[in-house]
């Protein structure tokens, strides 16, 4: 399956379609393999999607393992922390009795190289990986930065050539200018599904990427072997 672009005409439709795609992926994964591994994007765009997802009545949270696509190297309660945003928008809003089977925050307060190494080892154990193997996450949600970065893979970054599972990057060239932890391109490429979520301001850049005009951008390098990715980009107001 080649890349797909869907452009819902309103924020409400954007959120509804994102939630529908996540729920469908979850049900398919649980039916086929008994569990659902979901990596969440940081940034601001996904927040309303997570809030709506938390309210869904029959989401299989007890079978869902929640990962993070990337993290800023700041304390967990720092306003810049992606995990703090995910806690506030999703985990703390879940219905009574709903809780994920496991959650895998990235430790932004540990030394980045050590945090990347220990999380890589823990994920390799969890997915029972052999040397050189990568976790096949069922669904990875990604955002798109104005410079074409995704997760914390920035243009020209040494992280783009990492063959690990989680790697760390120097201070980002964009706000917040802090070191980052991120899933690597091989992990993004091994995913069963990748769903990009982007706001209306990013539509011209998305079209440029999908036209093949920007191969140098990290977001253009995400080509899952299983097909896709799917881009869900809210259309600008008419
Ligand atoms: C981060 C994100 C990053 C984000 C994009 C888009 O840590 O900031 O993981 O990759 O998804 O920068 O951010 P917005 O959704 O805020 O536009």
């Amino acid at each position: 399956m080649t890349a797909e672009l869907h452009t819902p005409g309103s924020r409400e439709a954007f959120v509804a379609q994102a939630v529908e795609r996540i729920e469908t992926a979850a049900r398919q994964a649980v039916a086929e393999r008994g569990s659902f591994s979901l990596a969440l994007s940081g940034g601001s765009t996904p927040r309303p999607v997570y809030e709506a997802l938390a309210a869904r009545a029959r989401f299989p949270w007890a079978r869902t393992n929640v990962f993070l696509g990337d993290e800023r190297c700041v304390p967990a309660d720092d306003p810049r922390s992606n995990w703090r945003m995910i806690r506030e928008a999703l985990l703390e809003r879940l219905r009574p009795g709903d809780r994920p089977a496991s959650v895998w925050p990235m430790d932004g307060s540990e030394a980045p190289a050590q945090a990347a190494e220990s999380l890589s080892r823990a994920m390799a154990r969890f997915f029972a990986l052999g040397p050189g193997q990568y976790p096949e996450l069922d669904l990875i949600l990604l955002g798109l930065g104005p410079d074409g970065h995704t997760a914390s893979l920035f243009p020209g970054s040494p992280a783009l050539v990492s063959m690990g599972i989680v790697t760390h990057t120097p201070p980002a060239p964009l706000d917040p200018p802090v070191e980052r932890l991120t899933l690597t391109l091989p992990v993004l490429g091994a995913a069963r599904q990748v769903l990009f979520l982007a706001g209306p301001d990013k539509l011209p850049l998305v079209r440029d990427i999908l036209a093949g005009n920007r191969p140098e951008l990290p977001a253009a390098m995400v080509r899952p072997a299983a097909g896709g990715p799917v881009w869900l980009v809210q259309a600008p107001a008419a």
Side-chain angles (χ1 to χ4, degrees), residues 41-46 70 72 82 143-145 149-152 180 202:
S41 169
S44 58
T45 302
D70 70 314
R72 293 84 178 272
N82 284 333
L144 175 67
H149 81 260
T150 191
S152 280
R180 308 287 190 96
K202 305 282 175 46

Side-chain angles (χ1 to χ4, degrees), residues 2 8 34 44 83 86 88 105 108 110 117 140 151-152 172 197-198 201 212 214 218 221:
T2 54
S44 58
W83 192 247
I86 288 163
E88 292 171 349
E110 186 182 1
E117 180 55 33
I140 299 179
S152 280
L197 301 173
D201 57 318
R214 307 300 305 274
M221 300 174 185

Side-chain angles (χ1 to χ4, degrees), residues 27-200:
R27 291 203 185 96
Q28 180 183 3
V30 169
E32 292 175 2
R33 289 174 295 280
S35 68
F36 177 50
S37 53
L38 171 64
L40 298 175
S41 169
S44 58
T45 302
R47 181 184 278 266
V49 175
Y50 299 159
E51 291 169 352
L53 191 65
R56 299 296 289 173
R58 285 182 301 283
F59 193 89
W61 290 110
R63 300 293 189 89
T64 297
N65 299 294
V66 177
F67 297 85
L68 197 48
D70 70 314
E71 183 58 284
R72 293 84 178 272
C73 293
V74 295
D77 59 354
D78 188 300
R80 299 167 295 177
S81 163
N82 284 333
W83 192 247
R84 172 171 164 172
M85 181 274 287
I86 288 163
R87 276 203 324 269
E88 292 171 349
L90 177 64
L91 302 178
E92 292 166 2
R93 292 168 176 256
L94 291 177
R95 297 154 54 91
D98 278 351
R99 57 181 296 125
S102 70
V103 294
W104 296 72
M106 294 179 172
D107 186 349
S109 55
E110 186 182 1
Q114 279 76 351
E117 180 55 33
S118 55
L119 183 53
S120 294
R121 280 199 306 272
M123 288 179 72
R125 280 195 302 275
F126 181 79
F127 287 99
L129 301 181
Q133 290 185 322
Y134 294 99
E136 292 179 33
L137 298 175
D138 292 304
L139 176 61
I140 299 179
L141 303 181
L142 291 174
L144 175 67
D147 61 347
H149 81 260
T150 191
S152 280
L153 298 167
F154 292 91
S157 167
L160 288 169
V161 296
S162 169
M163 299 306 285
I165 293 173
V166 178
T167 192
H168 64 100
T169 80
L174 290 187
D175 204 35
V178 297
E179 290 179 282
R180 308 287 190 96
L181 295 167
T182 185
L183 295 180
T184 62
L185 274 178
V187 174
L188 304 187
R192 292 189 175 89
Q193 291 187 63
V194 171
L195 175 61
F196 278 91
L197 301 173

